[in-house]
Amino acid sequence: MSLLVVGGSGLLGLEVTRQALAAGRRVTATFHRHAPALGGADWRGLDIRRRDDVVALVGAARPRVIVNAAYRQADWATTADGAAHVALAAAAAGARLVYVSSDAVFSGAAVRYDETRAPDPTTPYGAAKAAAETAVKGIVPSAVIARTSLIVGGGASQHEKHVRALASGAVKGVLFTDDVRCPVHVTDLASALLELAASPHAGIHHVAGADAVSRYELGALIARRDGLDPAALPSGLRAGSGMPGPVDVRLDCAMTQSRLDTRLRGAHEFL
């Protein structure tokens, strides 16, 4: 199966690329600024804000499957418009599309969300992801839209780096004890995305970890794994901090997990 990984230089995209290469697939992967030092893939520079460039690349690569893991939180044109450009190119090429979305599409008012819940974002990033989901569903009805949560793994994620910086005193800040998500290991997420790509399933799927933990609890687990003192991590409350966005969002993944051989581990297990 030939595969195009859009956003292949990011944490998730790189793991999808690694796993696909290990499975013997032909992989084209994109980067925005610098190509990663991962051999075996055909690395191509791409700005998904440029629709014609996306269409040209998909036409040249002729993938059977496209996994779109590209985003920029502060950039509507990348997160929303770019997702539409990839969907249009996938439709024109007749390619299977897996689009990676986020739990940011929810407000947190319901706390627990399964795949049937409608988005109700409260941040620009959440609104961009919700708009991208709508575009993908309308352009490629057979696509998989995979909503996920905090992605952790191998020490390379932003959250892991932030925890180490906080523990060492290199940066100031706190980890919120009331900000709850369902963190997922990057290897589990990448495996699940590739499995969904090869399946007949379509529509919304929730692909997150089995445990609902606060950012502080997650930080303490990371610190213990890395031989750091969790007591060195400053804690605080998000409520009343003035920081926008949902506080407690828990993705219910029961339906999606029933369709997968990949087991979506919880943070207490993988850390």
Side-chain angles (χ1 to χ4, degrees):
M1 178 176 68
S2 58
L3 179 71
L4 171 62
V5 183
V6 179
S9 59
L11 177 68
L12 175 58
L14 199 58
E15 182 60 28
V16 171
T17 301
R18 285 194 191 100
Q19 291 190 22
L21 289 171
R25 294 170 181 170
R26 179 173 66 84
V27 182
T28 302
T30 76
F31 62 91
H32 185 57
R33 290 191 178 90
H34 306 289
L38 176 65
D42 179 10
W43 289 100
R44 303 286 189 93
L46 180 68
D47 184 342
I48 64 171
R49 296 172 297 183
R50 300 178 181 274
R51 177 180 169 182
D52 290 347
D53 292 356
V54 176
V55 171
L57 176 58
V58 172
R62 301 179 63 83
R64 289 185 59 191
V65 173
I66 300 173
V67 175
N68 182 7
Y71 76 97
R72 291 180 71 186
Q73 285 199 1
D75 187 353
W76 179 281
T78 296
T79 303
D81 297 344
H85 298 160
V86 174
L88 287 164
R96 170 84 161 149
L97 176 61
V98 176
Y99 173 67
V100 182
S101 189
S102 167
D103 58 10
V105 300
F106 296 122
S107 70
V111 178
R112 195 167 185 84
Y113 293 86
D114 67 14
E115 289 87 348
T116 66
R117 297 300 295 256
D120 60 341
T122 60
T123 64
Y125 174 60
K129 279 294 191 183
E133 289 187 5
T134 298
V136 169
K137 284 188 290 186
I139 297 166
V140 189
S142 61
V144 168
I145 296 170
R147 293 180 183 140
T148 193
S149 191
L150 294 178
I151 305 173
V152 179
S157 71
Q158 289 302 312
H159 195 80
E160 290 165 284
K161 293 176 183 177
H162 185 57
V163 167
R164 290 194 294 271
L166 283 172
S168 68
V171 299
K172 301 293 184 182
V174 300
L175 294 174
F176 296 125
T177 57
D178 59 344
D179 188 331
V180 178
R181 298 293 188 274
C182 296
V184 63
H185 197 283
V186 66
T187 59
D188 296 349
L189 178 55
S191 176
L193 294 176
L194 289 170
E195 194 175 338
L196 288 168
S199 79
H201 302 303
I204 303 293
H205 289 72
H206 285 180
V207 191
D211 299 338
V213 299
S214 71
R215 290 187 187 255
Y216 179 80
E217 186 178 2
L218 178 62
L221 290 170
I222 291 168
R224 291 190 187 99
R225 181 203 63 188
D226 293 349
L228 303 172
D229 182 7
L233 297 174
S235 63
L237 293 175
R238 181 165 184 164
S241 70
M243 182 175 290
V247 173
D248 192 341
V249 177
R250 310 179 189 203
L251 294 183
D252 182 339
C253 303
M255 185 278 287
T256 297
Q257 182 65 89
S258 72
R259 294 178 168 180
L260 294 173
D261 291 328
T262 301
R263 190 165 63 86
L264 301 170
R265 298 170 294 164
H268 285 97
E269 179 178 352
F270 66 71
L271 288 171

